[in-house]
């Protein structure tokens, strides 16, 4: 079988990364979480007090920032200027700021270039917002994964409980909805389903069921 590219897009907290990781592992492909790259540059912007509304400041920051992704046993390690930031990019502070940072054309241009390099000539499962529409337009399989905003907030809430984070459910739902709105309405490669993407509603699916659906679709395309 030929290795293929699998693009998984969808709104926030739809389970994309959890499911993408399982699919990649089953197929022996690498998994690339593109959101982590936007989160890493956002973390640096916060640390340096950069004005994230400014195109120039964002672009300048990018020029002196090195972002690396490294496949690991349970997914992917993220490095910013050589420092491991895999966990540090998951805070609520970064989450709330990332959509503003990722809307800049200069930021996207550079990230997309890096993402294409990472995916070059190998089997890959890549998740994000614009993978099927922009980053990998020729991916053999494109999936657009969603669930109701209530279900997504509920899942994030349950995840958080395990990790000892106590953000109220209503606040999570608000943050997720606000992020989806910004990501869908931005000018440069907004979140939207590619014409040739297959829609999977995971509201009533388990993680395993959703992963199995994608694996079946992938096998048909190898
Ligand atoms: O996937 P995750 O929720 O970690 O993504 C964080 C943010 O990064 C998204 O809300 C979006 O603003 C941005 N993003 C993007 N394009 C991608 C992946 C993520 O704009 N391909």
């Amino acid at each position: 079988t030929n290795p293929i590219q699998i693009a998984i897009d969808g709104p926030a907290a739809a389970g994309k990364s959890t499911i993408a990781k399982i699919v990649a592992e089953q197929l022996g492909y690498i998994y690339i979480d593109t959101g982590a790259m936007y989160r890493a540059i956002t973390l640096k912007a916060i640390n340096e007090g950069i004005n994230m509304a400014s195109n120039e400041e964002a672009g300048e920051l990018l020029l002196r920032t090195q972002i690396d992704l490294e496949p690991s046993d349970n997914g992917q390690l993220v490095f910013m200027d050589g420092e491991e930031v895999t966990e540090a990019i998951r805070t609520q502070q970064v989450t709330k700021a990332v959509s503003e940072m990722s809307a800049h054309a200069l930021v996207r241009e550079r990230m997309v270039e890096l993402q294409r390099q990472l995916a070059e000539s190998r089997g890959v499962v890549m998740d994000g917002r614009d993978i099927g529409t922009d980053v990998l337009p020729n991916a053999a399989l494109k999936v657009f994964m969603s669930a109701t905003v209530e279900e997504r907030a509920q899942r994030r809430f349950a995840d958080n409980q395990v990790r000892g984070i106590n953000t109220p459910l209503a606040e999570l739902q608000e943050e997720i909805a606000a992020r989806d709105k910004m990501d869908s309405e931005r000018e440069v490669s907004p979140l939207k389903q590619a014409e040739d993407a297959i829609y999977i509603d995971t509201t009533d699916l388990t993680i395993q069921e959703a992963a199995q659906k994608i694996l079946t679709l992938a096998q048909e395309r190898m």
Side-chain angles (χ1 to χ4, degrees):
T1 55
N2 271 336
I4 60 169
Q5 293 180 329
I6 302 175
I8 302 183
D9 291 301
K16 298 185 299 294
S17 64
T18 308
I19 291 161
K21 255 185 249 178
I22 295 173
V23 171
E25 183 164 34
Q26 292 284 320
L27 296 173
Y29 288 6
I30 62 159
Y31 159 65
I32 300 171
D33 167 8
T34 62
M37 300 166 77
Y38 294 97
R39 286 172 178 273
I41 190 74
T42 303
L43 174 65
K44 182 156 170 177
I46 291 169
N47 288 346
E48 296 199 0
I50 299 285
N51 172 13
M52 284 188 244
S54 157
N55 238 314
E56 291 72 41
E57 287 193 38
E60 188 276 330
L61 178 69
L62 207 72
L63 288 177
R64 54 185 177 80
T65 305
Q66 170 83 24
I67 292 170
D68 297 293
L69 302 182
E70 200 180 279
S72 82
D73 283 348
N74 44 10
Q76 158 195 282
L77 295 174
V78 186
F79 296 86
M80 183 189 69
D81 299 329
E83 184 195 341
E84 206 221 288
V85 293
T86 315
E87 288 303 314
I89 58 173
R90 303 286 157 196
T91 63
Q92 200 62 7
Q93 196 188 12
V94 171
T95 302
K96 283 192 167 149
V98 64
S99 288
E100 181 165 28
M101 196 64 188
S102 67
H104 293 296
L106 283 170
V107 173
R108 304 204 68 79
E109 223 169 84
R110 178 79 190 112
M111 297 300 186
V112 169
E113 190 183 310
L114 276 169
Q115 289 154 13
R116 288 185 183 143
Q117 276 170 18
L118 289 168
E120 214 166 347
S121 51
R122 55 174 158 182
V124 63
V125 184
M126 190 178 276
D127 89 55
R129 302 292 186 288
D130 59 341
I131 312 307
T133 52
D134 188 41
V135 181
L136 305 175
N138 300 318
L141 173 59
K142 298 179 185 179
V143 169
F144 194 87
M145 188 183 286
S146 193
T148 62
V149 68
E150 290 80 10
E151 173 67 19
R152 290 185 280 129
Q154 191 67 56
R155 288 179 192 165
R156 181 55 52 87
F157 186 76
D159 272 3
N160 281 352
Q161 294 295 94
V162 177
R163 296 161 61 207
I165 302 169
N166 291 307
T167 314
L169 181 62
E171 193 179 319
L172 288 176
Q173 189 167 322
E174 224 169 272
E175 174 260 302
I176 288 171
R179 202 142 56 95
D180 290 347
K181 184 169 156 57
M182 279 190 78
D183 291 344
S184 312
E185 292 180 355
R186 71 175 172 229
E187 223 153 288
V188 192
S189 39
L191 166 67
K192 86 168 195 257
Q193 183 175 348
E195 269 174 36
D196 50 352
I198 293 167
Y199 183 81
I200 299 182
D201 182 342
T202 68
T203 307
D204 298 313
L205 297 180
T206 64
I207 288 169
Q208 288 305 331
E209 286 168 339
Q212 192 48 56
K213 263 190 195 239
I214 296 177
L215 283 165
T216 304
L217 291 165
Q219 260 127 25
E220 291 166 8
R221 286 161 176 79
M222 283 175 189

